[in-house]
């Protein structure tokens, strides 16, 4: 299963935990590219995201 979570700095640890628990793999964390910022929000608070956490 592929998973991608957009998250802000504050919620990045939650996103990492979710990926570890759901995917049982070590998560990848990337800085969000500028061009995606306009449509993305943090999954936990709705603010501008800073990172993408994926498996
Ligand atoms: Zn957040």
């Amino acid at each position: 299963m592929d998973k991608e979570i957009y998250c802000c700095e504050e919620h990045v640890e939650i996103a990492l935990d979710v990926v570890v628990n759901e995917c049982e793999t070590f998560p990848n964390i990337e800085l969000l590219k500028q061009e995606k910022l306009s449509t993305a929000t943090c999954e936990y608070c709705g603010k501008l995201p800073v990172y993408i956490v994926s498996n």
Side-chain angles (χ1 to χ4, degrees):
M1 186 182 76
D2 287 338
K3 192 160 183 70
E4 275 194 337
I5 301 173
Y6 293 86
C7 57
C8 68
E9 205 142 8
E10 192 177 337
H11 293 111
V12 64
E13 287 179 25
I14 297 173
L16 289 170
D17 278 351
V18 168
V19 170
V20 169
N21 290 333
E22 289 189 12
C23 307
E24 297 178 343
T25 59
F26 197 76
N28 297 307
I29 180 165
E30 294 172 61
L31 277 173
L32 191 60
K33 293 181 180 62
Q34 283 293 330
E35 61 264 29
K36 286 189 177 176
L37 279 177
S38 56
T39 53
T41 54
C42 170
E43 288 206 7
Y44 305 101
C45 68
K47 289 184 192 167
L48 276 183
V50 179
Y51 301 109
I52 303 175
V53 179
S54 60
N55 67 332

